[in-house]
Structure formats: structure tokens, C-alpha cells
Amino acid sequence: MPLLRQPLLLLARSQQVKKLVTAMPVSAGIVHNYVPGESTESAVEATAGLVDDGLTVTLDFLGEDTLDAEQAEATVAAYVDLLEQLAARGLTRKAEVSVKLSAIGQALPEKGRKIAIENARTICRTARNAGTTVTLDMEDHTTTDSTLSILRELRKDFPETGAVLQSALHRTEADCRELAHEGSRVRLCKGAYLEPEGVAFQERVDIDKSYVRCLKVLLAGQGYPMIATHDPRMVEIAASLASRYGRAQGTYEFQMLYGIRATEQLRLTETGETMRVYIPYGTEWYGYLMRRLAEKPSNLSFFAKSLISKK
Ligand SMILES: Cc1cc2nc3c(=O)[nH]c(=O)nc-3n(C[C@H](O)[C@H](O)[C@H](O)COP(=O)(O)OP(=O)(O)OC[C@H]3O[C@@H](n4cnc5c(N)ncnc54)[C@H](O)[C@@H]3O)c2cc1C
């Protein structure tokens, strides 16, 4: 594990550091590399631009670990507003939404599961009425069972709901087998959280080997794999496995984050692949930014330099 990843991922959970970083106007500079803006309008505008370039999109209203039912409701309202604005602009054929269950009530005491399911249903129903879909983001390993069980519940009424699995976890190859059935949309990523040895691979090479094993299961299966990675090796391996398993373009897709490897996103589109860009937006960008910095320490030095030069 790179030296800086662990402390940065720990900071991503620190309320004190969050307060400090978000109060500094300079943080906006680096944030804009990864987040097009804080308003729904800025997210819809960014979507329209990417769709014009032939890309597809999934949007994430930033926020996580909500312990307040009203805040969870506000997040649902933000998704409803977003979906209505996307529909009004004729963008829902190309743009869907990604939702973190912890942002819509999963972690609330006692009734968390029930509230999260109800809230997710509202978003799924609005998405379906708008002609699009929802994918449930995956958070740290303590939530995996709960998230997959809520996914199963939601899929009874909304089978189009997408799942996310993380190759860092030991369990994921088995989860891929379970979810590689017809109609099942599954995003495979490496995993953005700091996870303990008991449940997760610790070395990059083991996470990558697991990613390839999971890719094989998903691409050989009957579902719709969503290959979420910026890793050139994984992209190349996925493309060659897709061809080995006789997968036509459009029966799977690639996904990358907004602002990361934008040229590669366009290149893949030009080769006929479906490329979906994950656009996060909103005021709660702190945890997201810290996870991106943890993945790319060169961005951290850029961030630190900009802090110093503003003093
Ligand atoms: C669409 C999408 C959705 C995601 N959803 C989730 C989720 O629900 N849950 C979750 O835990 N995680 C999610 N992630 C994050 C994911 O788990 C990883 O943390 C993140 O994508 C980094 O892993 P990687 O596969 O891109 O490559 P890494 O292993 O981080 O990097 C491998 C190589 O990729 C290239 N690369 C990586 N980052 C950059 C960069 N910034 N600029 C240029 N090249 C770069 C470099 O060549 C690097 O050596 C998502 C990622 C994507 C793309």
C-alpha cells in the first residue's frame, strides 16, 4: 500500500480535518478537478457536455454516513430534483444516478434499513418514470451485507437497479457469481476504503488479480458488467476478455470518474465502447476528495503547494 494512502483514508473520516479543509477557499481549486460544482444545475450542465461528446453519465449527489433522518430526506429530494432536471433536458437516456445508502438513512439507529429501503424506492421510482436507472454505490465492508440485502429487496420491484462490488474484498469473487445473472447490472471496482486484513487483500497486486478473476466471472456470465477502473492494464484485460467471451460492444460498459483520464474516456468511446463518467456534485465533497487524493499522491503535493502559496 502506498505510504500516504492509509493516513489520507483515515483523514477522510475525520470531522475536525473536514472542518478545516472545507473552510479554506483554496480547496475549491482542486475540488473542481473532480467535482463540476455544488448545484444540481452545474451537474446537469456537466452531464450535457459529456453527452454531447458521446459519453454516458452516472451522477452522485455527494454525502454519506447520515445520522439524521431529515438530512436523508433532503438527499432523496436532491435526487428527485436532479432526475426531473435531467428528464427536462432530455438526458435520461444517457444519464443515470448512483446512490450511497448511508446518505439516505442506512446507518440510522433502529429503523435504518427500513428508512433506506423506502428512500431508495422513491429514487428508483422517480428514475424509472424519468426513463433511467439507479446504481447502489458500495461503501466500506461493514455495510456490504446490508447493501446487498437491500439491493435484493429493491430488485423485486426494480430489477434494473445496479450493484457495485469491490475486488479488494475476499468475498467479492463469490458475490460476482451470485450477481452474474441475466439483467443484473454490476459495477466492478477495486474499492476505495481502508479495509482490514481479515476481509480484504492488502497488496495492490492481489487486488488486481482479484479484479481479473471477478472480470472473468462477470464477462462470462449473463449480466451487464460495468467495468469501473482507470487502470490501463485492467482496461486492456477487460477488452480482451470481452472478446474472448464473445461479448459484443454495448453488452458491457467501462466507467471512469469525472476529471480522471478524460482523454482515455473519449478514446474508448471512439472505439465504439460505452463509457460512463461518474459525476459527483454537491457541497459534501470532502470524503470524496480525500479518497481521490489517497489514490494519487501527486495530486496531494499539488493540493499542499496551493495551500502554502495562498498563505
Ligand atoms: C465509475 C466508478 C465508480 C466507483 N464506485 C465506487 C464504489 O461504489 N465504491 C468504492 O469503494 N469505490 C468506487 N470507485 C473507486 C474505486 O474503487 C477505486 O478506488 C478507484 O477507481 C481507483 O482504482 P483504479 O482501478 O482506478 O486504479 P488504481 O489501482 O488506483 O490505479 C491504477 C492505475 O490507474 C491509473 N490511474 C489511476 N488514477 C489515476 C488518475 N487520477 N489519473 C491518471 N491515471 C490514473 C494509473 O495508471 C494507475 O497506476 C469507483 C470508481 C469508478 C471509476
Side-chain angles (χ1 to χ4, degrees):
M1 176 181 297
L3 214 57
L4 280 168
R5 186 166 184 248
Q6 190 161 357
L8 281 169
L9 288 176
L10 287 173
L11 288 184
R13 297 254 147 142
S14 158
Q15 287 305 313
Q16 274 168 321
V17 180
K18 174 182 176 183
K19 234 169 142 180
L20 204 73
V21 171
T22 52
M24 285 189 278
V26 65
S27 47
I30 191 144
V31 177
H32 280 295
N33 293 341
Y34 297 105
V35 178
E38 296 190 341
S39 65
T40 308
E41 289 71 20
S42 62
V44 172
E45 222 34 70
T47 302
L50 292 168
V51 167
D52 272 352
D53 287 340
L55 297 151
T56 60
V57 169
T58 184
L59 291 119
D60 166 32
F61 178 68
L62 289 165
E64 53 200 284
D65 298 337
T66 301
L67 290 171
D68 172 352
E70 273 178 30
Q71 199 181 326
E73 276 170 30
T75 298
V76 176
Y79 274 106
V80 169
D81 178 38
L82 170 67
L83 285 159
E84 286 172 358
Q85 291 202 34
L86 288 170
R89 290 281 295 266
L91 289 167
T92 42
R93 226 169 48 81
K94 299 284 182 180
E96 63 136 35
V97 295
S98 286
V99 176
K100 282 188 176 49
L101 288 176
S102 79
I104 56 168
Q106 187 181 28
L108 289 170
E110 290 169 43
K111 292 188 174 159
R113 176 186 158 85
K114 194 167 169 273
I115 293 171
I117 291 178
E118 277 317 303
N119 283 338
R121 273 187 205 287
T122 304
I123 300 173
C124 287
R125 200 176 309 114
T126 312
R128 184 184 280 174
N129 290 341
T132 189
T133 51
V134 175
T135 295
L136 299 183
D137 278 353
M138 188 59 84
E139 300 176 69
D140 74 72
H141 81 279
T142 61
T143 65
T144 311
D145 278 328
S146 157
T147 298
L148 291 179
S149 118
I150 292 176
L151 173 86
R152 279 192 294 275
E153 191 62 32
L154 285 173
R155 279 185 169 181
K156 288 180 189 162
D157 293 322
F158 304 98
E160 66 274 25
T161 307
V164 177
L165 296 174
Q166 301 150 319
S167 73
L169 300 186
H170 298 151
R171 60 177 288 166
T172 294
E173 196 180 338
D175 287 334
C176 285
R177 286 186 207 290
E178 190 116 328
L179 289 176
H181 57 82
E182 200 176 338
S184 173
R185 298 165 60 245
V186 181
R187 174 194 302 159
L188 179 65
C189 64
K190 292 189 188 179
Y193 298 85
L194 195 60
E195 302 287 18
E197 228 170 316
V199 299
F201 299 109
Q202 303 295 308
E203 300 300 326
R204 193 171 281 260
V205 60
D206 295 321
I207 297 172
D208 288 356
K209 282 185 189 164
S210 165
Y211 197 94
V212 175
R213 288 195 299 275
C214 293
L215 271 178
K216 285 183 179 165
V217 174
L218 294 176
L219 285 164
Q222 303 300 307
Y224 182 81
M226 304 187 279
I227 302 154
T229 180
H230 313 99
D231 190 335
R233 275 185 61 233
M234 296 304 128
V235 169
E236 204 182 310
I237 293 170
S240 94
L241 285 173
S243 126
R244 188 201 296 178
Y245 292 121
R247 286 253 177 190
Q249 286 180 329
T251 65
Y252 61 91
E253 69 183 37
F254 288 99
Q255 298 190 341
M256 292 189 189
L257 301 176
Y258 178 83
I260 301 186
R261 304 202 70 208
T263 311
E264 174 66 0
Q265 294 174 10
L266 289 172
R267 187 195 69 80
L268 281 164
T269 309
E270 277 155 20
T271 65
E273 299 288 6
T274 304
M275 165 57 67
R276 193 174 298 278
V277 180
Y278 183 107
I279 302 184
Y281 74 99
T283 54
E284 288 293 315
W285 44 259
Y286 173 76
Y288 181 85
L289 174 72
M290 295 309 267
R291 288 195 290 276
R292 301 294 77 81
L293 290 178
E295 283 154 13
K296 198 87 175 144
S298 56
N299 286 336
L300 183 69
S301 61
F302 171 65
F303 185 47
K305 268 186 222 145
S306 55
L307 287 179
I308 293 161
S309 65
K310 283 275 167 166
K311 275 190 178 162

